[in-house]
Amino acid sequence: MTRRSASVALAAVLYTPRGNRRVFREFADEMKTRGWRVAGVTQQSVDASGASRAGVDGVALDGGETIALTRPSPDNPGCSLVPDALARLIEVMRRAIDAAPDLIVIEKFGEHEQRGAGLMPLILEAVASGIPVVVAVPAAAIDIWSSYTGGLGELLACDTAALRRWWRARNVLEELARGVGPEPARRVLIGLNWTLVEGPHGCGLAYSPARGSAGCRSLEVAGTLHSRSLRDLAGLASSWNPFEASVGVAAINAHYNRYDLRGAESNGLDVLRGVPGNSVCIGSFPGIRERFHDIRIIEMQPQQGEYPETATEAVLSTADVVVVTSSALVNGSFPRILNACTRDAQVALVGPGAPIAPSLGYYGVTTVAGLVIENVDAVAELIAQGGSVKAIKRYGRYLTLQTAVP
């Protein structure tokens, strides 16, 4: 399987001498709490008994050991680099790259790195290996940083919200997939309109891509998918092959949209109907203009009065309410859409293929409206015969979840 990737996963977080350097450790700890493997090094001040700063220590994010980086010396009442500090940092970085973690955080771009030495070669090696890397870069050294990276990656403000937005543009499907258990799949069906994956505790649907869609290829593993675990199938959600992606999203939904799931059995769009401001819908569906009279619609194949996909960032930059159809999970546009939404936008993910997962709140989704299947055999028969949403929803119930967005 070839996985989707959203450009080079490198972020330079620009800070000033008075900036909040705690951001790097807080973000690393937050990622660990969410189950990601994080390595690298952050910094912490060492205070003397008289409350004056006595130096700086590095803290390895994988092993937790501290490394004395700077200390006062007879020749420098301020702080000088401890002789073996750089060698120990290089050891930590080498260990991190060899372990291939989910994220490396480096709170160091000092004099050595700005000369192309120190940790700089290892930073570039980590990026070339495909490991997402966050580096703390002094704002005054931005030109030097750009000269070494060739302008690759992104420049971020020194705050946790900016780091979250950078991270979620790449990892929302991956995090959903990681939450799926190892239970065996019972049935996999790819129909004309919908894909179905049945697990022991739930049944999930996903939008089936059109046969001529870019990247669509026949599945070499056809005939064996039903013998794999839901977790394995869920990992396909990030595939460039839309057929594999549809199976992956359906497997994710088979885990989250369980038969015994309870919640508000209401239309998720009603939650947003009274929210003031500009409304945008990604992907049109029947009745949307009746619920939101002035809504702007973005479509991959726009009709008259609709916006093309290329206008996504421009249209979403002023949107207060964003409705996203669940097909965006399969066609690969969902991370891009989330990244284009403003921080305060109310974002709803709706449709039979939407996972009713509280973790979506971390990625900026405020409302999820998905389908819990109750009669799997009836739905499977409809899908096999090209059935539509209107026919399928008779055999399930819509649930709406309002999430907690950090």
Side-chain angles (χ1 to χ4, degrees), residues 10 12 78 100 114 126 159 173 176 269 289 302 306 344 357 368 371 395:
L10 173 64
Q114 291 175 32
D159 66 71
L173 286 172
L176 287 170
L269 296 181
R289 291 195 182 278
E306 298 176 346
D344 298 324
V368 183
L371 184 68
Y395 299 103

Side-chain angles (χ1 to χ4, degrees), residues 243-261:
F243 283 142
E244 290 183 339
S246 67
V247 172
V249 172
I252 287 172
N253 292 335
H255 171 80
Y256 290 103
N257 300 9
R258 300 166 60 98
Y259 303 128
D260 60 357
L261 189 62

Side-chain angles (χ1 to χ4, degrees), residues 299-315:
E299 266 287 1
M300 297 184 76
Q301 296 179 329
Q303 305 298 313
Q304 185 174 2
E306 298 176 346
Y307 291 84
E309 185 184 16
T310 51
T312 297
E313 282 76 13
V315 175

Side-chain angles (χ1 to χ4, degrees), residues 53-66:
R53 191 168 112 162
V56 173
D57 282 347
V59 180
L61 294 172
D62 52 357
E65 69 266 30
T66 59

Side-chain angles (χ1 to χ4, degrees), residues 37-107:
R37 295 181 301 116
V38 182
V41 63
T42 55
Q43 297 184 16
Q44 63 183 19
S45 296
V46 179
D47 294 327
S49 56
S52 61
R53 191 168 112 162
V56 173
D57 282 347
V59 180
L61 294 172
D62 52 357
E65 69 266 30
T66 59
I67 302 168
L69 299 182
T70 63
R71 291 292 187 272
S73 67
D75 298 329
N76 184 1
C79 287
S80 300
L81 188 68
V82 174
D84 69 342
L86 192 56
R88 294 187 64 188
L89 287 175
I90 290 173
E91 289 178 4
V92 169
M93 189 65 176
R94 169 50 57 195
R95 183 176 72 205
I97 295 173
D98 292 344
D102 301 312
L103 171 68
I104 291 178
V105 177
I106 299 295
E107 192 180 350

Side-chain angles (χ1 to χ4, degrees), residues 174-196:
E174 177 71 16
E175 181 158 330
L176 287 170
R178 285 174 176 234
V180 175
E183 298 86 2
R186 292 182 174 177
R187 176 165 27 183
V188 177
L189 176 63
I190 302 177
L192 177 65
N193 297 313
W194 293 96
T195 296
L196 176 148

